[in-house]
């Protein structure tokens, strides 16, 4: 199983084109979309993003961001809960748009967006992943992550360079 993880698309046509290119290149089994999907960007093309996500050819698991609206789920064709949990590679992954301040047991993986800054680190047995923004980065460029059996990779979306990785 291979998960492609992106966040903070903000309706960006350029960001959607990056996602489409990453899906073509990596052929993931599922897209994890961490909120702020359709609104708030500079090159907003909601129709292009909606169509692109519907035609992406893989399942999309998304969470609601602070710039998303409840009715966006109807337009997108998939639910937008505030939180999601999935089990993979012997770990519990907790997906949300905002960083979590809840307590989780060691071995958990916290996955969020919102800050538009890429992060991947382990602290007290808990892995923290933020892929940054695919469209509006507030650091050195657009980012994304790949989660596969045994490893998480944080990558730069400009050139696909590996920034860092952590073993699961």
């Amino acid at each position: 199983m291979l998960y492609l993880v992106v966040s903070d698309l903000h309706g960006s046509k350029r960001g959607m084109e990056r996602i489409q290119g990453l899906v073509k290149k990596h052929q993931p089994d599922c897209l994890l979309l961490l909120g702020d999907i359709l609104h708030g960007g500079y090159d907003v093309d909601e129709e292009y993003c909606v169509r692109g996500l519907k035609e992406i050819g893989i399942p999309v698991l998304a969470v609601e961001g602070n710039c998303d609206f409840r009715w966006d789920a109807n337009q997108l064709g998939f639910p937008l809960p505030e939180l999601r949990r999935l089990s993979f590679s012997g770990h519990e992954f907790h997906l949300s748009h905002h960083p979590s301040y809840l307590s989780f047991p060691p071995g958990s993986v916290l996955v969020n967006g919102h800050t538009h800054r890429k992060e991947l680190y382990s602290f007290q047995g808990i892995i923290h992943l933020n892929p940054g923004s695919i469209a509006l980065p507030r650091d050195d460029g657009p980012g994304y992550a790949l989660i596969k059996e045994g490893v998480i990779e944080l990558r730069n979306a400009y050139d696909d360079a590996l920034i860092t990785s952590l073993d699961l």
Side-chain angles (χ1 to χ4, degrees), residues 1 3 5 32 34 61 63 83-96 104-105 107-112 120 126-129 145-153 166-168:
M1 188 74 165
Y3 293 97
V5 187
L32 303 181
L34 303 174
L61 295 178
V63 293
L83 303 169
R84 280 193 184 271
R85 193 182 96 206
L86 65 99
S87 296
F88 177 69
S89 195
H91 295 270
E92 291 294 316
F93 287 75
H94 303 272
L95 283 61
S96 65
F104 293 94
S108 297
V109 182
L110 307 183
V111 184
N112 68 274
L120 177 59
I126 298 173
I127 294 173
H128 299 262
L129 168 64
L146 296 173
I147 300 172
K148 47 192 167 183
E149 191 65 42
V151 68
I152 299 173
E153 297 178 349
L166 273 178
D167 292 335
L168 288 171

Side-chain angles (χ1 to χ4, degrees), residues 7-35:
S7 189
D8 295 278
L9 175 60
H10 287 287
S12 167
K13 183 176 181 180
R14 184 174 43 239
M16 187 66 233
E17 290 169 345
R18 285 185 186 122
I19 293 171
Q20 292 164 326
L22 293 170
V23 168
K24 185 176 180 181
K25 177 178 180 131
H26 295 289
Q27 300 184 353
D29 299 296
C30 184
L31 173 64
L32 303 181
L33 190 51
L34 303 174

Side-chain angles (χ1 to χ4, degrees), residues 14-94:
R14 184 174 43 239
M16 187 66 233
E17 290 169 345
R18 285 185 186 122
I19 293 171
Q20 292 164 326
L22 293 170
V23 168
K24 185 176 180 181
K25 177 178 180 131
H26 295 289
Q27 300 184 353
D29 299 296
C30 184
L31 173 64
L32 303 181
L33 190 51
L34 303 174
D36 285 358
I37 300 167
L38 295 178
H39 314 287
Y42 299 114
D43 63 333
V44 174
D45 189 337
E46 286 182 31
E47 290 180 23
Y48 183 86
C49 291
V50 168
R51 187 172 54 254
L53 289 168
K54 285 183 176 181
E55 296 172 355
I56 203 144
I58 58 173
V60 177
L61 295 178
V63 293
E64 180 183 60
N66 59 294
C67 292
D68 296 320
F69 301 107
R70 294 279 174 189
W71 54 84
D72 288 343
N74 295 331
Q75 189 177 1
L76 289 163
F78 48 78
L80 291 173
E82 287 184 38
L83 303 169
R84 280 193 184 271
R85 193 182 96 206
L86 65 99
S87 296
F88 177 69
S89 195
H91 295 270
E92 291 294 316
F93 287 75
H94 303 272

